[in-house]
């Protein structure tokens, strides 16, 4: 596809205007690519063309129908219907206005709606932040009245008879939560794809459990439960399986055929199922031997943010008294896991690529959600946190910072002295600078169509772009 040059007469598009504004086209391209990913090689145009008028008409007539024909005698049902309608229209606006994010499979609409749900969740947290504890629990009781009968058992001893070690007792602890623990770490490995960072998170989480065991009784574990079941079996095996899965996806050759070019019915069905798999899979390299100190601390910050994500899960269900198997708890875990995927990708590009000067919107919302959840826990768990000694928390923060820095620095030494130059050459940050061949990408049009060979597949190195001057945007 030929490169189309935007008219210089348009305000903001001329090179002189870009230079005067202190912006560089490559910087804009890089942010657009992770925040508004274009779809390459569109084969079924119907699914990627805008249908705004049709969507508006169907939405309005659907709401009018249910608003006039449904029974309005039940006040609680009316509130439920109104909330569903609000969420429905907000998701429609998300599809029309929100960015794709860094992924396009199975369809950009999915990631736009997920971004819309994350914004709704953030707004819900901000609303709860200004309510008292009784009002918040009243909202939860309205959603599920059975929660009134559930209370956290603070007297239960989770670390009893630790000297009694046997295969039968160890096997008795392998339940559905252990399987979920393993699957969670396999998913984390697929997201982060770096063994050093993953083991740093694993080790630091065990220290976190020891530190907060006096506040959260289920954090109290026997030594064999923490070391054997958690660290080695669930964490270690999950990390190993997740990284092996990533290796398989890296070695796979991605040649996508249009569903219209497939003649057999079974081939068409297989292609439809493959639409839910990644379009491509690039090798991830968080650290280089010559990484700057800002990149070093940014990766260390990722480790600390992950600790906050895990802590929020346990404090929320403890302070607001919900069983671990409650649909709200499980739904939040699944939901946070889904929008963590684009957030980690956006954070990776922001950390490793010097041309990207802005944090992706999904990552921004993700960090805001983490902080809002932590504030909500601290505000409504004052009685719980009053039993915490300040020196213990300060010591925990110090240990977390030291361990994260030590692990990240060890990873840098490993890449420098063990991996060798071959490993560095295969890194996505070691490839030549990429260019965007479609002006639709430059303007941020997510429906712009570009060829596969022109779509960026790797992130150029900082050294290769050392002569490229860019001014950071606010």
């Amino acid at each position: 596809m030929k490169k189309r040059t935007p008219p210089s007469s348009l305000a903001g598009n001329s090179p002189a205007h870009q230079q005067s504004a202190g912006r560089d086209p490559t910087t804009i391209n890089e942010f657009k690519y992770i925040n508004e990913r274009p779809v390459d090689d569109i084969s079924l145009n119907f699914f990627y063309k805008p249908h705004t008028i049709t969507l508006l008409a169907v939405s309005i007539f659907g709401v009018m129908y249910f608003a006039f024909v449904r029974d309005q005698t039940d006040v609680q049902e009316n509130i439920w219907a109104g909330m569903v309608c609000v969420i429905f229209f907000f998701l429609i606006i998300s599809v029309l206005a929100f960015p794709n994010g860094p992924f396009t499979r199975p369809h950009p609409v999915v990631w736009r709606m997920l971004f819309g749900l994350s914004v709704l969740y953030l707004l819900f947290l901000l609303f709860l932040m200004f309510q008292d504890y009784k009002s918040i629990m009243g909202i939860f009781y309205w959603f599920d009245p059975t929660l009134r009968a559930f209370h956290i058992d603070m007297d239960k001893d989770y670390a009893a008879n630790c000297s009694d070690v046997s295969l039968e007792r160890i096997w008795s602890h392998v339940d559905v939560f252990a399987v979920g623990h393993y699957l969670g770490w396999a998913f984390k490995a697929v997201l982060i794809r770096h063994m050093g960072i993953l083991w740093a998170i694993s080790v630091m989480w065990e220290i976190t459990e020891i530190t907060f065991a006096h506040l959260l009784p289920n954090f109290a574990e026997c030594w064999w439960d923490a070391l054997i079941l958690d660290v080695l079996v669930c964490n270690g095996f999950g990390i190993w399986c997740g990284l092996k899965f990533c290796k398989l996806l890296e070695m796979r050759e991605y040649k996508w055929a249009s569903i219209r070019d497939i003649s057999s019915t079974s081939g068409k069905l297989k292609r439809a199922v493959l639409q839910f798999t990644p379009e491509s899979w690039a090798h991830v390299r968080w650290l280089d031997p010559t990484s700057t100190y800002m990149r070093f601390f940014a990766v260390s910050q990722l480790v600390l943010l992950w600790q906050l994500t895990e802590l929020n899960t346990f404090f929320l269900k403890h302070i607001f008294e919900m069983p671990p198997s409650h649909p709200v708890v499980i739904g939040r875990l699944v939901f946070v896991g889904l929008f963590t995927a684009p957030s980690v990708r956006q954070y990776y590009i922001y950390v490793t690529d010097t041309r990207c000067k802005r944090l992706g919107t999904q990552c921004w919302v993700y960090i805001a959600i983490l902080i809002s959840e932590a504030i909500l826990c601290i505000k409504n768990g004052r009685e719980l946190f009053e039993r915490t000694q300040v020196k213990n928390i300060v010591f925990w923060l110090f240990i977390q910072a030291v361990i994260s820095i030590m692990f990240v620095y060890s990873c840098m030494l490993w890449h420098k002295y063990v991996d060798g130059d071959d490993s560095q050459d295969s890194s996505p940050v070691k490839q030549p600078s990429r260019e965007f061949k479609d002006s639709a990408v430059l303007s941020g049009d997510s429906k712009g169509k570009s060829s596969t060979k022109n779509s960026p597949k790797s992130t150029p190195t900082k050294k290769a772009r050392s002569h490229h001057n860019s001014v950071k945007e606010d």
Side-chain angles (χ1 to χ4, degrees):
M1 181 179 293
K2 294 183 179 180
K3 187 175 181 179
R4 294 170 290 179
T5 305
S8 59
S9 59
L10 296 178
N13 288 336
S14 63
H17 178 85
Q18 290 177 350
Q19 186 176 4
S20 62
R23 297 180 180 179
D24 194 285
T26 56
T27 302
I28 300 176
N29 286 342
E30 194 68 20
F31 175 74
K32 291 295 182 183
Y33 182 69
I34 63 168
N35 203 62
E36 187 72 14
R37 171 74 184 272
V39 180
D40 299 330
D41 297 332
I42 297 175
S43 58
L44 297 178
N45 292 327
F46 173 80
F47 294 102
Y48 293 91
K49 285 184 178 180
H51 304 280
T52 53
I53 302 300
T54 304
L55 185 60
L56 177 63
V58 172
S59 303
I60 294 298
F61 282 111
V63 170
M64 289 177 58
Y65 173 78
F66 287 104
F68 284 99
V69 302
R70 60 177 302 275
D71 184 13
Q72 300 181 3
T73 57
D74 192 335
V75 177
Q76 185 168 352
E77 289 296 329
N78 293 341
I79 297 176
W80 267 110
M83 292 173 57
V84 170
C85 183
V86 169
I87 296 175
F88 172 74
F89 263 88
F90 190 84
L91 292 182
I92 291 179
I93 296 174
S94 302
V95 172
L96 299 176
F98 284 178
N100 297 340
F103 304 136
T104 60
R105 292 296 181 92
H107 194 281
V109 167
V110 175
W111 299 104
R112 294 178 190 174
M113 295 177 66
L114 182 64
F115 182 40
L117 288 174
S118 65
V119 173
L120 277 176
Y121 181 56
L122 174 61
L123 297 179
F124 179 66
L125 290 174
L126 295 176
F127 171 78
L128 294 181
M129 201 179 298
F130 291 91
Q131 314 303 316
D132 59 4
Y133 182 79
K134 184 178 180 180
S135 300
I136 295 176
M137 295 308 299
I139 295 175
F140 290 145
Y141 295 153
W142 182 82
F143 278 104
D144 185 6
T146 60
L147 288 176
R148 294 180 181 272
F150 178 81
H151 296 284
I152 296 293
D153 188 2
M154 294 293 295
D155 298 327
K156 184 177 180 180
D157 190 1
Y158 288 84
N161 300 325
C162 293
S163 59
D164 181 15
V165 184
S166 62
L167 291 178
E168 291 78 11
R169 189 178 183 194
I170 294 177
W171 179 253
S172 65
H173 283 69
V174 180
D175 51 10
V176 64
F177 296 105
V179 176
H181 196 174
Y182 158 75
L183 294 176
W185 275 98
F187 182 69
K188 294 172 188 175
V190 173
L191 292 182
I192 299 179
R193 310 179 209 170
H194 191 285
M195 182 175 293
I197 297 177
L198 290 167
W199 275 106
I201 297 174
S202 176
V203 173
M204 291 170 61
W205 178 246
E206 297 304 320
I207 298 176
T208 300
E209 287 187 335
I210 295 174
T211 305
F212 290 95
H214 65 289
L215 299 180
L216 301 175
N218 58 330
F219 275 4
E221 299 174 329
C222 294
W223 64 268
W224 48 266
D225 193 357
L227 294 179
I228 299 177
L229 290 180
D230 287 351
V231 177
L232 296 180
V233 178
C234 295
N235 299 8
F237 190 58
I239 292 172
W240 184 83
C241 292
L243 293 180
K244 283 294 182 182
F245 182 70
C246 293
K247 284 294 182 182
L248 293 176
L249 293 177
E250 288 176 18
M251 292 184 294
R252 176 186 170 188
E253 186 176 2
Y254 293 85
K255 290 185 178 180
W256 297 103
S258 172
I259 196 171
R260 296 180 301 180
D261 300 332
I262 302 175
S263 57
S264 64
T265 303
S266 60
K268 289 181 180 292
L269 292 176
K270 181 180 179 181
R271 177 60 181 85
V273 173
L274 289 176
Q275 183 66 23
F276 294 87
T277 62
E279 180 190 16
S280 62
W281 197 270
H283 175 68
V284 169
R285 187 177 183 84
W286 286 91
L287 293 165
D288 279 330
T290 57
S291 297
T292 62
Y293 71 93
M294 289 300 295
R295 181 169 172 180
F296 174 83
F297 285 110
V299 176
S300 302
Q301 180 178 270
L302 173 69
V303 180
L304 295 176
L305 286 175
W306 213 280
Q307 299 293 302
L308 181 61
T309 304
E310 302 285 354
L311 267 179
N312 288 344
T313 301
F314 290 92
F315 273 114
L316 283 172
K317 70 182 181 65
H318 182 87
I319 293 175
F320 298 106
E321 294 191 305
M322 291 186 181
S325 58
H326 194 272
V328 172
V329 178
I330 303 299
R332 177 195 168 275
L333 285 175
V334 174
F335 175 58
V336 171
L338 287 176
F339 69 74
T340 298
S343 301
V344 170
R345 186 62 185 177
Q346 290 180 343
Y347 190 80
Y348 171 76
I349 297 296
Y350 178 74
V351 168
T352 60
D353 200 322
T354 54
R355 296 180 304 176
C356 186
K357 303 299 180 182
R358 299 167 59 187
L359 192 64
T361 50
Q362 179 65 85
C363 186
W364 189 95
V365 172
Y366 171 68
I367 296 176
I369 287 175
L370 293 185
I371 298 175
S372 299
E373 287 181 340
I375 294 175
L376 190 64
C377 291
I378 295 173
K379 179 177 179 292
N380 293 277
R382 293 178 181 176
E383 295 182 0
L384 180 66
F385 289 106
E386 283 178 356
R387 300 182 312 190
T388 304
Q389 297 181 1
V390 177
K391 62 178 182 179
N392 291 344
I393 300 300
V394 173
F395 181 74
W396 171 74
L397 291 174
F398 175 76
I399 292 296
Q400 294 285 311
V402 170
I403 292 180
S404 63
I405 292 175
M406 287 177 57
F407 265 93
V408 174
Y409 186 70
S410 300
C411 293
M412 292 178 60
L413 296 179
W414 174 272
H415 292 312
K416 184 175 183 179
Y417 296 107
V418 179
D419 274 0
D421 294 335
D422 293 339
S423 174
Q424 297 175 28
D425 292 338
S426 64
S427 169
V429 297
K430 297 292 182 182
Q431 302 298 327
S433 178
R434 62 190 179 198
E435 296 180 357
F436 284 73
K437 301 298 183 181
D438 196 339
S439 62
V441 181
L442 181 62
S443 62
D445 185 5
S446 63
K447 300 172 180 58
K449 183 177 178 182
S450 60
S451 62
T452 304
K453 66 180 181 179
N454 291 334
S455 64
K457 298 295 182 185
S458 59
T459 307
T461 180
K462 294 177 180 290
K463 183 179 292 185
R465 299 189 304 271
S466 59
H467 299 291
H468 176 76
N469 296 324
S470 58
V471 180
K472 188 168 185 178
E473 299 178 348
D474 291 331

